Amino acid sequence: MKTLVVVDHNNNKLEKSTLNTIKAAIQLENVDLLVLSDSCKDICNELINIKNINNIFINENDAFKNQLAEDSANFIAENFKDYANILFSNTSNGKNIAPRLAGLIDTMIIPDVIEIVDKQTFKRPIYAGNAIATCKSKNKINIITIRATAFEEAEIGNDNVGKIKEIGNLNVNNLSKYLDSELTKSERPELTSADIVVSGGRGLGSAENFQILEKLADKLGAAMGASRAAVDAGYVPNDWQVGQTGKIVAPNLYIAVGISGAIQHLAGMKDSKVIIGINKDEEAPIFSISDYGLAEDLFKAVPEMESKIN
Amino acid sequence: MKILVPVKRVVDYNVKVRVKKDETDVELDNVKMSMNPFDEIAVEEALRLKEKGIASEIIAVSIGLPEVQETIRNALAMGADSGIFVNCTSKLEPLSVAKILTSICNKIKPDLVIMGKQAIDDDMNATGQMLSAMLNWGQATFASKLEIQDKKIKVGREIDGGIENIEVNLPAIVTTDLRLNEPRYASLPNIMKAKRKPIDEMKVEDLNIDIEPRLEILKVEEPKSREAGIMVKSVDEMIEKLKNEAKVI
Ligand SMILES: Cc1cc2nc3c(=O)[nH]c(=O)nc-3n(C[C@H](O)[C@H](O)[C@H](O)COP(=O)(O)OP(=O)(O)OC[C@H]3O[C@@H](n4cnc5c(N)ncnc54)[C@H](O)[C@@H]3O)c2cc1C
C-alpha cells in the first residue's frame, strides 16, 4: 500500500499547503511525493528534508510549467497505477487536476477532506460547512484533496531524507493550451497561510476605501481578504475571496469589516482561532460567530484602530 | 453550435440547512429547492452565446427524481430550447453523473458543455472534470470569461493567484465561476412559453451504466460550534482584548 502526494508549486516555490497535505498523507501509508514542473530543483530542495517520506519522483518537462489538467492527470494515471491513495492540496490546481484523474481511472474523488478517520474513512464538509459527512470509501484507489487548514504542517528534519528519482514520459496533450495569466502582485503574506487576515465587504463601498483596511493590514503584517460582494463589485481582485466558493482560511486572527456574515462567507473563515467583527449594524450575523464584536461605523473604527496599534 | 447545460436541483442558497436528528442526512423535507446557482450562470452563458449568433441550440439536462423536471423548466424559461430528463431514483455521486452525461454527450454530440463548477449541496467540484476525462475532451474550469473563436474557446480562469487564460479545442467542457455573468430572471411570458418546450425522458436503467455509489455516507453531523463571544464598546477595549485576553496582536 503506497500513498502519493502530488506537490503543488509555482515552478519556483512550494505551495505551502503541500506541507499540510503531506502531514495528512503520513496518516495513511508509505508516502512518496511527485513534482511535475519545467524545473524541479528548487522545489525538491524544499522537500528533501521533510520527515517520513520515501521517494521524491520528478518529471521535468516544459509542458508541466503551466500544469494543465490534461497533462498532469494523464501522466499520473499512467505512472502510478499501484498506489492506494493519491493526495492533492485543495488548491485551484488540485481542484482542477484531481477530479480529472479520478474520472480517468474510474474512481470517486473524495474532495476537501478535513479528517482521516481510518484508511478508508474520511470526513468532509458539505452544505457550506453546515454539516460534516463521514464517508467510507469503496474505491480501489482513493483520490483525495486535503483542506490545508484542517491539518498541521509536515515536520522538517534531517533524518529519513527522501530520494529523488526521475519517472515516466509525458505525451503532451493537444486539447488545451496555456496562453497567459494576470497574477495579483502583493508584498503581503499569502491569504491562506497568514497569521492575521483583514477582510472587507460591501460595506467598504469602493476600491479606494479599501485602502483604509490595507493600512490596518500592513500595520498588523496581515493578508487581505474579502467577501464575494466586494469582489463582484470590483473593489478587489477575485483571489481575495474567502468563503464556500473562494478560499478557506483559519488564521489566528480574522478581522471582518463591513461584512454581514452570510453562510457562504462563514464557510471560509469560521475555523479561525479568533474572529472580530466590525459592522455598524448590531444585528449583523457576523457578530454571532465573533469572539469580539464592535458595532460601529467602519470609517471611524478602522482608522482609529490602525492609529492605536503599535 | 449545440450546447449542453447540465442543471441540478439543490437546497436554495438562502436556506440554513440543519442536520437530521438521526444524523443520516440533512433535513430536506419542506425546504425551498432551486437550481444550483452555478448552473444558472451556465445557462445564462449559453443563452448569451446564442444571442450572439454563435450557438444555435441549447439543451438542458437534469438527472434524478421527477421533481428535477422543475429545474429543467427553469432553464427552459430562461431560454434553453429543450430538455432531457434522466429518471433515476437512486442516490447519485459525481462519478455516476459524469458517466450518465458521457452517454448523453455520445448520443447528442454537443460542441460545448457548460456546467457549474460545484453544486452548493455536496460541494464536490468534480463532475465537469470527470466528464472531460471520460470524453477525452479539454477542460476549462472556474471560468470567469469566455470567448469562442472558430473551433477553439478562450477562457479566463479564476485561480488562486489571479486569472489564467487558456485555449481549449472544441468540443470542450467549461465549468462556471461566480464572475462569469449575472443570470437573468425568467419573464412571465417566457415561463408560459417554457411549458410547451419539449423535455425528452429517459430511464437511467436503459443506459446500462454502473451507478453504484463508491462512497458510503456513514454519518452526517453538525460542525463544531463556536462559543458565543462578546460585544465590546470601543476600539480601545477591542485592542485591549486582542492584546491581553486573546493574545493575538
Ligand atoms: C453560489 C454562491 C456562492 C457564494 N460564495 C461566497 C463566498 O465564497 N464568499 C462570500 O463572501 N460570499 C459568497 N456568496 C455571497 C453571500 O451569499 C453574500 O451575498 C456575501 O457574502 C455578502 O457580502 P458582504 O457581507 O460583503 O455584503 P452585505 O451582505 O451587503 O453586507 C455588507 C455589510 O456591511 C455593513 N456596513 C455597511 N456600511 C458600513 C459602515 N460604514 N460601517 C460598518 N459596517 C457597514 C452592513 O451593515 C452589512 O452588514 C455566495 C453566494 C452564492 C449564491
Side-chain angles (χ1 to χ4, degrees):
Chain A
M1 295 271 272
K2 291 192 284 187
T3 298
L4 184 73
V5 172
V6 182
V7 171
D8 196 2
H9 59 78
N10 68 1
N11 298 306
N12 305 310
K13 269 180 67 191
L14 188 66
E15 154 61 40
K16 249 186 125 191
S17 61
T18 300
L19 294 174
N20 310 85
T21 305
I22 294 171
K23 183 78 179 180
I26 291 168
Q27 286 186 43
L28 298 164
E29 256 173 336
N30 290 327
V31 180
D32 292 330
L33 309 181
L34 172 64
V35 183
L36 302 176
S37 171
D38 66 332
S39 125
C40 299
K41 194 160 160 270
D42 291 346
I43 305 153
C44 286
N45 282 340
E46 289 188 73
L47 296 168
I48 194 83
N49 289 324
I50 295 175
K51 283 190 177 175
N52 301 314
I53 55 169
N54 300 330
N55 304 295
I56 304 177
F57 295 111
I58 63 168
N59 189 287
E60 260 182 28
N61 191 314
D62 285 344
F64 281 133
K65 182 165 187 206
N66 306 307
Q67 308 191 35
L68 291 166
E70 292 83 349
D71 289 327
S72 304
N74 281 349
F75 183 88
I76 299 164
E78 277 297 312
N79 292 289
F80 296 91
K81 293 192 164 107
D82 54 340
Y83 279 70
N85 306 293
I86 304 179
L87 274 65
F88 293 77
S89 298
N90 199 33
T91 52
S92 53
N93 275 329
K95 288 190 236 183
N96 191 36
I97 301 166
R100 186 173 181 102
L101 171 62
L104 285 178
I105 63 171
D106 189 18
T107 279
M108 178 53 211
I109 187 169
I110 314 171
D112 207 12
V113 165
I114 57 166
E115 188 182 328
I116 297 173
V117 180
D118 63 40
K119 294 205 162 73
Q120 289 295 340
T121 314
F122 308 90
K123 288 193 183 186
R124 56 179 305 271
I126 54 175
Y127 291 94
N130 285 306
I132 308 293
T134 304
C135 321
K136 190 170 164 86
S137 164
K138 298 180 198 158
N139 290 316
K140 286 192 204 74
I141 301 178
N142 290 319
I143 306 218
I144 297 166
T145 68
I146 292 291
R147 178 179 287 205
T149 55
F151 294 86
E152 316 230 291
E153 287 181 10
E155 290 148 60
I156 314 275
N158 293 318
D159 49 326
N160 235 338
V161 175
K163 296 166 204 69
I164 297 177
K165 294 176 183 166
E166 275 184 53
I167 193 167
N169 256 318
L170 172 71
N171 296 316
V172 179
N173 92 83
N174 53 12
L175 300 171
S176 70
K177 203 171 92 190
Y178 169 86
L179 299 175
D180 54 32
S181 42
E182 303 143 38
L183 299 182
T184 309
K185 289 203 181 64
S186 167
E187 301 290 307
R188 297 195 183 91
E190 204 273 313
L191 175 55
T192 54
S193 54
D195 261 349
I196 303 181
V197 172
V198 175
S199 242
R202 200 195 316 261
L204 268 295
S206 71
E208 296 74 56
N209 288 346
F210 253 83
Q211 284 169 14
I212 65 162
L213 271 197
E214 296 187 44
K215 273 195 198 154
L216 176 64
D218 291 340
K219 196 97 178 238
L220 292 166
M224 286 295 300
S227 72
R228 172 191 173 180
V231 177
D232 283 5
Y235 302 166
V236 296
N238 66 281
D239 50 303
W240 287 17
Q241 183 182 315
V242 171
Q244 178 188 18
T245 58
K247 286 182 179 159
I248 308 290
V249 303
N252 280 327
L253 175 61
Y254 188 89
I255 305 181
V257 181
I259 292 178
S260 60
I263 38 180
Q264 292 86 2
H265 188 77
L266 305 188
M269 44 67 81
K270 69 184 159 81
D271 292 328
S272 305
K273 205 166 136 242
V274 176
I275 295 172
I276 73 174
I278 301 177
N279 196 306
K280 68 177 178 190
D281 171 10
E282 57 190 61
E283 303 284 312
I286 191 72
F287 292 132
S288 67
I289 64 142
S290 297
D291 298 277
Y292 307 109
L294 178 62
E296 206 173 84
D297 191 296
L298 73 93
F299 295 106
K300 178 173 168 289
V302 175
E304 185 184 341
M305 202 164 156
E306 194 255 322
S307 72
K308 286 182 173 166
I309 288 174
N310 37 43
Chain B
M1 167 181 220
K2 195 192 277 186
I3 304 181
L4 183 72
V5 186
V7 293
K8 184 176 186 184
R9 184 173 185 266
V10 298
V11 173
D12 186 85
Y13 80 96
N14 273 315
V15 172
K16 168 107 178 74
V17 301
R18 282 178 212 294
V19 170
K20 276 190 180 169
K21 286 228 167 55
D22 64 2
E23 296 195 319
T24 54
D25 201 347
V26 300
E27 201 59 71
L28 292 174
D29 292 341
N30 302 318
V31 300
K32 185 176 177 211
M33 305 293 281
S34 299
M35 188 191 299
N36 180 39
F38 289 99
D39 305 349
E40 285 183 333
I41 296 173
V43 174
E44 176 65 36
E45 199 61 23
L47 295 175
R48 291 185 187 189
L49 289 173
K50 194 172 171 196
E51 284 158 3
K52 283 188 201 146
I54 295 167
S56 53
E57 188 185 357
I58 301 167
I59 305 165
V61 53
S62 196
I63 309 161
L65 299 170
E67 294 91 285
V68 307
Q69 289 174 94
E70 284 167 31
T71 312
I72 299 174
R73 287 281 168 217
N74 287 346
L76 298 178
M78 285 174 75
D81 298 295
S82 65
I84 300 174
F85 162 50
V86 183
N87 198 329
C88 173
T89 50
S90 25
K91 274 222 162 198
L92 287 167
E93 44 189 37
L95 185 68
S96 313
V97 174
K99 285 179 186 174
I100 296 168
L101 293 175
T102 298
S103 150
I104 291 173
C105 286
N106 286 333
K107 224 172 263 163
I108 68 169
K109 305 214 172 351
D111 304 282
L112 180 62
V113 178
I114 311 181
M115 55 203 288
K117 77 164 180 178
Q118 83 192 64
I120 59 163
D121 50 4
D122 59 19
D123 283 334
M124 285 280 186
N125 195 331
T127 309
Q129 296 89 319
M130 289 181 153
L131 176 61
S132 326
M134 290 173 189
L135 290 165
N136 193 28
W137 292 3
Q139 71 184 47
T141 52
F142 326 144
S144 67
K145 211 172 154 194
L146 174 165
E147 209 181 300
I148 294 192
Q149 301 163 328
D150 249 354
K151 292 297 283 172
K152 288 187 189 332
I153 179 166
K154 233 177 98 178
V155 176
R157 305 179 54 231
E158 293 203 359
I159 57 167
D160 288 343
I163 301 283
E164 173 186 277
N165 298 304
I166 63 169
E167 189 179 81
V168 186
N169 295 345
L170 295 175
I173 311 285
V174 170
T175 77
T176 60
D177 217 318
L178 296 168
R179 255 72 60 182
L180 186 57
N181 61 49
E182 221 174 288
R184 69 193 66 186
Y185 290 101
S187 66
L188 198 57
N190 284 343
I191 294 173
M192 301 311 290
K193 251 210 278 187
K195 292 191 175 148
R196 293 191 303 272
K197 290 183 180 174
I199 298 182
D200 217 6
E201 178 172 343
M202 42 179 113
K203 289 202 181 67
V204 77
E205 297 80 29
D206 298 339
L207 298 174
N208 260 323
I209 293 169
D210 166 24
I211 54 163
E212 183 67 24
R214 306 282 179 82
L215 301 181
E216 183 192 351
I217 307 297
L218 300 180
K219 188 171 158 186
V220 173
E221 62 194 313
E222 296 271 356
K224 270 190 258 127
S225 64
R226 287 186 79 90
E227 273 175 49
I230 58 162
M231 295 300 287
V232 297
K233 297 222 161 39
S234 66
V235 167
D236 290 319
E237 191 187 347
M238 177 71 86
I239 292 175
E240 193 273 321
K241 294 284 186 203
L242 293 179
K243 273 198 177 135
N244 302 322
E245 199 173 85
K247 300 191 168 58
V248 283
I249 60 169

